[in-house]
Amino acid sequence: MLSAVTEDYIKAIYAIERDTDDRVGTSDLAEYLDVTSPTVSSMLKKLNERGLIDREEYRGVTLTEEGEVIALEILRHHRLLESFLTEQLDYDWADVHEEADRLEHHVSEELTERIADALDNPGVDPHGDPIPDADLKLPDPEETARLSDAGEGDRAVVRRIRHQGDEELRYLSSAGIEPGVEIEVVEIAPFGLVTVRTPDGEQSLPEEIARLIETAPIAETEAGV
């Protein structure tokens, strides 16, 4: 049985690999997990010895097949817990990440499957992140684009909010921007602000926040903003 810390490392490696489409360096993990590089190096040595990562000096690490299976199991637990907390216990979608982080290491497979059944096996969590199914297969991804790459006048529906920290999620929640909300890009300022129109009014977002928002285009006749 793996410790919670070990599982956190595996999940972090998976997340960084998918975001960068590259091997994961020690400094990347240290920044992501907010720990020191020597701490990361020590854990990577253990993961390598257990056959959960492939480690090459100066080239970073990647998960082995066994490591990826474990990562997908953790993600299934985590994202189903987020969905359960939101849909059944009335948590705000912006507040469930930390709670799910604490719980994901302690739920049994039986409880996980009961949660999935109770929620009718959702394909995405409250942030729009895909949930691996019972066979640990991810649903086919929808083609999306980051809001930071949009042009003025573009209309889109928010599909996913990439998690960087709970502070960013709460910022977007207070701005009325969450998966399923339709938006229109009103202005892109030369110094990085992206102004969008939402059902709740206009919001100006820093570029680093706009990069976290993945959208899908909607036809002019479908736009509701």
Side-chain angles (χ1 to χ4, degrees), residues 18-123:
R18 293 308 174 276
D19 194 43
T20 63
D21 197 27
D22 199 0
R23 298 175 73 92
V24 180
T26 299
S27 58
D28 298 322
L29 269 174
E31 180 179 0
Y32 190 94
L33 294 169
D34 195 23
V35 296
T36 66
S37 291
T39 299
V40 171
S41 296
S42 176
M43 177 57 76
L44 293 182
K45 180 180 179 181
K46 295 176 182 177
L47 292 176
N48 190 54
E49 290 171 350
R50 297 190 66 161
L52 300 177
I53 62 170
D54 173 68
R55 188 182 191 189
E56 293 184 25
E57 192 171 6
Y58 306 120
R59 294 196 62 237
V61 304
T62 186
L63 292 173
T64 61
E65 184 175 344
E66 182 181 358
E68 186 167 330
V69 167
I70 293 172
L72 289 168
E73 289 176 341
I74 300 167
L75 287 179
R76 178 166 170 78
H77 295 171
H78 181 97
R79 292 173 179 175
L80 282 171
L81 284 165
E82 288 187 327
S83 299
F84 183 79
L85 291 168
T86 303
E87 295 184 26
Q88 301 295 320
L89 300 182
D90 294 326
Y91 275 69
D92 188 280
W93 70 277
D95 295 327
V96 294
H97 184 77
E98 286 185 358
E99 197 71 56
D101 265 345
R102 288 188 284 269
L103 295 171
E104 68 189 16
H105 309 293
H106 308 293
V107 292
S108 66
E109 292 305 318
E110 180 180 357
L111 178 56
T112 298
E113 297 317 310
R114 287 184 179 230
I115 290 173
D117 288 343
L119 298 175
D120 198 24
N121 295 295

